[in-house]
Amino acid sequence: RYILYDRKFINSLTSGSNKYWSNMFILAHEIGHHVNGHSLDIILYINNVVDPKSLNEKRNQELEADEFAGFVLAKLGATLKETSKVLLNIPQISNEISSTHPSRDKRIIAVELGFEKGKLNNDTISNKKVSPEKSKFRSSSKSKFNRKD
C-alpha cells in the first residue's frame, strides 16, 4: 500500500501558523485509513469481491481516520488546541446524509477522542523509565506474544 504525498498539494490545503500540524494531521489521517483497513475495501470492491461501502460507513471510516490522526498528533507533541484547529479550516458539510464526510463537529469530537487516548499512556513511551508496576502493558506467560508455538 502507498500514500502519495505531494508537498505542493498539501501546502495548498494548509496555511497560517498551524501549517506544520495541519500537514501532519492530513498525513496521519491518510495513514489512519490504511491502519484501519479502509484502503483494502477499495481494492476489494473494484474487483467485485465486496459491495461498496454505504455513505454512512464511509462517514464512520472518516471518523476513525480522524481519531487516529488525533492520537498521532498527541504522540508527536501537538497540543489539543493545535490539533483541533486543523479541522476549523475544512469546509462545513451542509448535508451530511449525502456526503462521504461527517460534519465538522463530529470530526472534532473524533479527533479529541484520539488525542485523549494518545495522551493517556504518554508516560509509557517517553524517554523516562517507567517501572513495570506502573505500566499498563505488562507481559505475562499467557500473553499471545510470549507463546512458543
Side-chain angles (χ1 to χ4, degrees), residues 4-105:
L4 301 177
Y5 186 85
D6 181 335
R7 185 176 294 172
K8 259 188 191 175
F9 174 72
I10 296 297
N11 284 336
S12 75
L13 299 176
T14 60
S15 63
S17 61
N18 209 39
K19 188 176 200 125
Y20 174 79
W21 292 118
S22 295
N23 290 352
M24 289 295 107
F25 180 89
I26 293 168
L27 187 56
H29 174 93
E30 295 308 322
I31 291 170
H33 282 301
H34 285 279
V35 168
N36 287 302
H38 304 159
S39 56
L40 295 178
D41 296 342
I42 294 167
I43 295 165
L44 293 174
Y45 78 71
I46 286 174
N47 292 308
N48 295 318
V49 176
V50 297
D51 292 328
K53 298 288 183 194
S54 69
L55 287 175
N56 188 53
E57 290 170 307
K58 288 179 181 181
R59 286 189 296 273
N60 285 333
Q61 288 181 341
E62 290 302 322
L63 292 174
E64 289 174 0
D66 286 338
E67 183 179 335
F68 180 82
F71 178 87
V72 169
L73 266 63
K75 293 296 185 190
L76 291 175
T79 64
L80 181 57
K81 182 179 179 182
E82 290 166 328
T83 303
S84 298
K85 188 177 174 185
V86 171
L87 289 174
L88 297 177
N89 295 326
I90 65 168
Q92 183 62 277
I93 303 297
S94 59
N95 182 3
E96 186 179 295
I97 302 297
S98 63
S99 176
T100 58
H101 287 69
S103 70
R104 183 186 302 150
D105 292 340

